[in-house]
Amino acid sequence: MSGAVAGKIALVTGAASGIGRACARRLAAEGAVVIVSDVQDEAGLAVVEAIRADGGTAEWQRLDVTNEANWQALIAGIVERHGGLDVLVNNAGVALGAPTTKQSVEEFNLQLMINVTGPFLGCKHAIPVMQARGGGSIINMSSTAGLRGSTGMAGYSASKGAVRLFTKAVANEHARDNIRVNSVHPGLIETPIWMTIDSPSAPRGVMPDVGKMAASLVPLGVKGLPEDIANGVLWLASDESRYVTGSELVIDGGLSGR
């Protein structure tokens, strides 16, 4: 490993599984002190244990990203223990796929709360700490569904499209603070999030064959892995991307270019 983020303090939300877990492990492997956060206590603690077993540094902090008091307490604790925050990965998200006419308003609003309000609260409370530190990097997890819309996932697409433009606005607001804010747009990545999507490939609660889907839909012909996204997040978190802000990093095997 190159130590691309050595010495940086990084907070990853939704880090108990999938892309968040991969991001936490990748950042820790490259030298960051990683705060692993989620609402899944057992799985989150397992991520911390795995990072430590690999020689990295990590701690577990429970976080409901829709709760502002949770954010305030978490950020204050990070400052107290570590002196500040350098990297925020707003990864926590949910996909409750269903046709527009069949989706409940409760599910629609839940996606907005977790996928949009969560990153808003993260930025709101992390930015002052980064300002005091002289800069930082914020990475907001969007999706290819936030670029082109996804059939049967209108609510999810709406939330991820909001993340895309929210990211650009915050990037402009805080560029002179040396705080870079970028969005990442995964394509067909094999993660547990597929279990909550009602699609032609598989009903909700059943894991579809993502590899088979990718073979027919993705120009590269293969599915993505959480580690593919983590590699992009690492670059945005590192000083190697010092001149990148307000941008969209699309990691989708060419899917959005079709």
Side-chain angles (χ1 to χ4, degrees), residues 81-257:
R81 293 188 302 278
H82 303 290
L85 182 67
D86 302 296
V87 178
L88 169 62
V89 183
N90 279 314
N91 168 76
V94 62
L96 301 173
T100 302
T101 56
K102 295 183 179 179
Q103 182 145 71
S104 69
V105 68
E106 290 80 12
E107 284 194 347
F108 184 88
N109 287 336
L110 180 61
Q111 291 178 101
L112 294 180
M113 282 294 294
I114 295 173
N115 299 353
V116 186
T117 303
F120 159 68
L121 290 173
C123 290
K124 177 180 178 180
H125 294 289
I127 284 171
V129 174
M130 290 181 173
Q131 287 173 317
R133 204 160 172 87
S137 175
I138 297 175
I139 299 134
N140 294 326
M141 199 62 63
S142 182
S143 168
T144 52
L147 296 173
R148 51 181 277 176
S150 185
T151 302
M153 298 180 68
Y156 181 72
S157 298
S159 71
K160 292 303 186 178
V163 169
R164 173 178 173 264
L165 290 184
F166 170 73
T167 296
K168 292 181 180 297
V170 179
N172 286 332
E173 288 177 5
H174 293 285
R176 294 305 176 95
D177 294 322
N178 193 34
I179 298 172
R180 299 182 297 104
V181 191
N182 295 284
S183 57
V184 174
H185 299 256
L188 289 175
I189 312 298
E190 189 169 61
T191 75
I193 201 169
W194 288 100
M195 295 286 288
T196 57
I197 297 171
D198 186 10
S199 70
S201 300
R204 190 178 294 191
V206 176
M207 186 70 182
D209 186 335
V210 181
K212 184 176 181 180
M213 293 166 59
S216 62
L217 296 173
V218 176
L220 284 181
V222 295
K223 66 186 177 185
L225 301 175
E227 290 74 18
D228 295 316
I229 309 305
N231 288 335
V233 166
L234 172 65
W235 181 68
L236 289 174
S238 77
D239 295 337
E240 292 182 357
S241 59
R242 56 172 290 275
Y243 203 54
V244 179
T245 194
S247 294
E248 302 152 356
L249 179 56
V250 181
I251 308 175
D252 70 349
L255 177 65
S256 59

Side-chain angles (χ1 to χ4, degrees), residues 9 11 35 59-61 69-85 125 129:
I9 311 301
L11 167 61
I35 292 86
E59 66 181 52
W60 163 252
Q61 295 292 324
N70 276 193
W71 274 107
Q72 291 171 310
L74 178 59
I75 297 296
I78 291 171
V79 172
E80 181 179 351
R81 293 188 302 278
H82 303 290
L85 182 67
H125 294 289
V129 174

Side-chain angles (χ1 to χ4, degrees), residues 9-23:
I9 311 301
L11 167 61
V12 183
T13 72
S17 65
I19 289 172
R21 176 175 58 194
C23 290

Side-chain angles (χ1 to χ4, degrees), residues 37-63:
S37 70
D38 207 306
V39 293
Q40 303 178 67
D41 298 286
E42 186 175 345
L45 286 167
V47 174
V48 171
E49 290 175 4
I51 289 172
R52 292 175 177 171
D54 289 338
T57 304
E59 66 181 52
W60 163 252
Q61 295 292 324
R62 183 178 175 84
L63 173 67

